[in-house]
Amino acid sequence: MKDTNMPGDPIIAVRGLTKTYEGGFQALKGVDLDIRKGEIFALLGPNGAGKTTLINIICGIVTPSEGTVTVGGYDHQKQYREARKLIGLVPQELHTDAFESVWATTNFSRGLFGKAPDPAHIEKVLKDLSLWDKQKARIMMLSGGMKRRVMIAKALSHEPAILFLDEPTAGVDVELRRDMWAMVRKLRESGVTIILTTHYIEEAEQMADRIGVISKGEIILVEEKADLIEKLGKKELRLSLQEPLSAVPPELAEWKLELGQDGHLLTYTFDSQAERTGVPSLMRRLADLNIGFADIETRQSSLEEIFVNLVHDQNAGQNADQTADASLPDGEKDSRP
Amino acid sequence: MNLHSIWAIYRFEMARSVRTLWQSLITPVVSTSLYFVVFGAAIGSRMPPVEGVDYGAFIVPGLIMMTLFTTSIFNASFGIYFPKFTGTIYEVLSAPISFLEIVLAYVGAAATKSVVLGLVILLTASFFVDLDIVHPLWMVAFLVMISAAFSLFGFIIGIWAKGFEQLNMIPMLIVMPLAFLGGAFYSVTMLPAFWQKVALFNPVVYLISGFRWSFYGNGDVPVEISLAAVAIFFGVCLAVTWWIFKTGYRLKS
C-alpha cells in the first residue's frame, strides 16, 4: 500500500520484504510499509498473518529472505548497531528471567542495548509503570500483568525512539490496559514512534493514528484511522418485512433505504454517533404506511467486521460483496469468536 | 566494541552463578575431596610414585582438568541454552551487539567461573597433598586457555541442543570418557605399547599432559604439542561459532 501524504522521511521503511521459513511456509509475501516518525501505528491481522514475523525481522530476530528494512535511515542488517539502538521491543510472549529482580532485569536491558547505567532513568521507567515498589521482587513472584509491565520496562530502559508492542494487552486486566494506553499516549507525546499489534480492535480505534491490516503475509490496507472511523460510525437497522415490497416507497426516500432479499429486507444505514439517528421517525413513518415487519435488528459495521471482510475477501478473491455479506456475524461485534 | 552490552551479559551470567553458588562451587569441591580420599589416600598410599611424583599429587592436574572440562561445558551450554528455552534470547538477538561480543560475554563468563573453580580445587587439593608447581604461570595460562576453549565448546553445544538431555549428552558420553582415558589418573606411558598409540588419538591426552607438565615439568607429550592442541581445539570451536552466527543456526529462523 502506498501512503499518499508522507510528511518527511519514514522512520521505518520496509521494501519488498519476504520471508519463507525452512519448512517452506511463506510468512511474508513482499511487504512494503512506511512508518511515520512519531505516529502510533496499529497492525491488525489474524493469527498467522505475519505480524510477528514482520516485527521480528525489523528487530533483527528473524532473517528476511528478500527485501530491505531501514530504521531511522540505517539498514537494519548492515548498520544493525545504529538501527537496533533505536528500537525497543515488547514481544507477545512473556519471556522473562524468573530469578532476576525487576530492577536487575531492567538495568540489564539498558546495558545490553549499549547504554551507560542510569539509575534515575530506570527509576522513572519503573515508577511510570507502577513497578517501583516491586523493584526488588523476583520476576517469578509477579502476576502475569506485572510481568507484562516488566517487559515494557525492559523495552523502555534504553530510551528507544521506536517502540514495538506485539499484542501488548493480550490477557491483561482492564486497569492495566488503561494504564498501558495512558503510557503509550505519554510516550507518543515525548516523540516515540509506536507500532502495535492487537486483537482488540477498540484499542486500535482508540489509540492508533493509522491502521494497517495484514493477511496471509500481505499488507492489504493502510489507512488513516479517521477514514476508517467514518466507515465505523455506521450502524444498520434491518427490518424483515411481512409482505415483500417491489420498491422503496417514495415516502421513505429521505432515509435512503435499501431493499434486499427479494423485497423482504429493508436496510437503513445511519450514523450512530449523530444526535438524530432518524430511527424513531422512520418507525413512525413505517407505521403510517402500514408496512409491517416480522423482525428488527440493528448491527454495527465495526472495524472488526471491516477487518474480517477484508481478510475474507482476500481469501475469496473477487466477489467481495456477496462473500462479505455471508461472512458477517449477526448482531453486535461482541460476538467475536 | 560495545562494552556496555558485553558487561551486561557477563554480569548477568556471573550473577546467575552467585545465586547458585552452592551448586557451582561446593559440589565440585566435595566431589574432588572424595576423589582425594579414595584415589589419593586409600588407593594412592598403595601405589608407587608415577614419574617421581606421589600418586596423590600426580592426579591433581587430571582432576582439575576433568572438572574444568565438565563445568566449562555445563556453564556455557546452560548459559546460552536457558535463554533459548525460556525465550529471553529475543532480547540478545535484537540488541545492537555483534556475534563476537555475544561470544565474548557468554564464554568469558563461563570461563571465569571455570578458572575460579579450578583454583578452588587446587586449593582444596593442597590440603590433601604437597603441591610444588614448577611452572605456575604456565599453569594459570593452561587453566585459562582450556577453560576458554571448553566454554566455547559448551556454547556451541548450548546452541545445538534441543533439550536438556542433549545438554548432558556430550559431556557425559564423550568428554568424560575421553578425559578418563586421557590420562587423568595415570600416565599414558603406563599403558601397553599398542594402547599408548591409540591414546595419542585422544585429544584430551594432550590437554592433560600439558597441564601436568606445568605442575611437574614433564608430560606424556612435549608441551609445544599440548599448546598446539589447545590452539587447534580453540580454533575449531571458534570457526564453528562463527558459522553459527553467520547462518543463524538454531538461533534465528
Side-chain angles (χ1 to χ4, degrees), chain A residues 62-115:
Chain A
V62 170
T63 318
S65 303
E66 286 171 307
T68 60
V69 177
T70 60
V71 180
Y74 300 109
D75 183 283
H76 85 137
Q77 283 182 309
K78 292 191 193 90
Q79 297 158 295
Y80 66 94
R81 281 189 204 268
E82 290 82 358
R84 290 184 192 175
K85 269 181 188 164
L86 298 173
I87 298 177
L89 167 65
V90 183
Q92 192 173 340
E93 310 286 338
L94 288 171
H95 299 308
T96 52
D97 292 300
F99 303 103
E100 288 284 305
S101 75
V102 171
W103 171 275
T105 198
T106 314
N107 201 40
F108 165 78
S109 298
R110 184 176 172 88
L112 186 63
F113 276 76
K115 290 262 180 159

Side-chain angles (χ1 to χ4, degrees), chain A residues 19 21 59-63 80-81 84-85 89 91 95-97 99-100 107-109 111-117 138 151 154, chain B residues 1-2 4-6 8-9 11-12 15-16 19 82 86-88 90-99 101 247 251-253:
Chain A
K19 175 63 189 177
Y21 284 104
C59 294
I61 297 168
V62 170
T63 318
Y80 66 94
R81 281 189 204 268
R84 290 184 192 175
K85 269 181 188 164
L89 167 65
H95 299 308
T96 52
D97 292 300
F99 303 103
E100 288 284 305
N107 201 40
F108 165 78
S109 298
L112 186 63
F113 276 76
K115 290 262 180 159
R138 285 189 172 192
M151 304 284 288
K154 283 165 76 71
Chain B
M1 197 56 84
N2 191 342
H4 287 301
S5 306
I6 299 173
I9 296 177
R11 213 174 49 166
F12 176 89
R16 190 167 61 80
R19 272 201 306 269
F82 202 62
T86 60
T88 52
Y90 84 88
E91 213 184 359
V92 174
L93 293 178
S94 66
I97 180 169
S98 72
F99 99 85
E101 290 159 357
T247 58
L251 270 182
K252 289 185 183 190
S253 45

Side-chain angles (χ1 to χ4, degrees), chain A residues 7-22:
Chain A
D9 286 334
I11 191 154
I12 296 178
V14 176
R15 293 288 174 273
L17 202 63
T18 67
K19 175 63 189 177
T20 308
Y21 284 104
E22 249 171 64

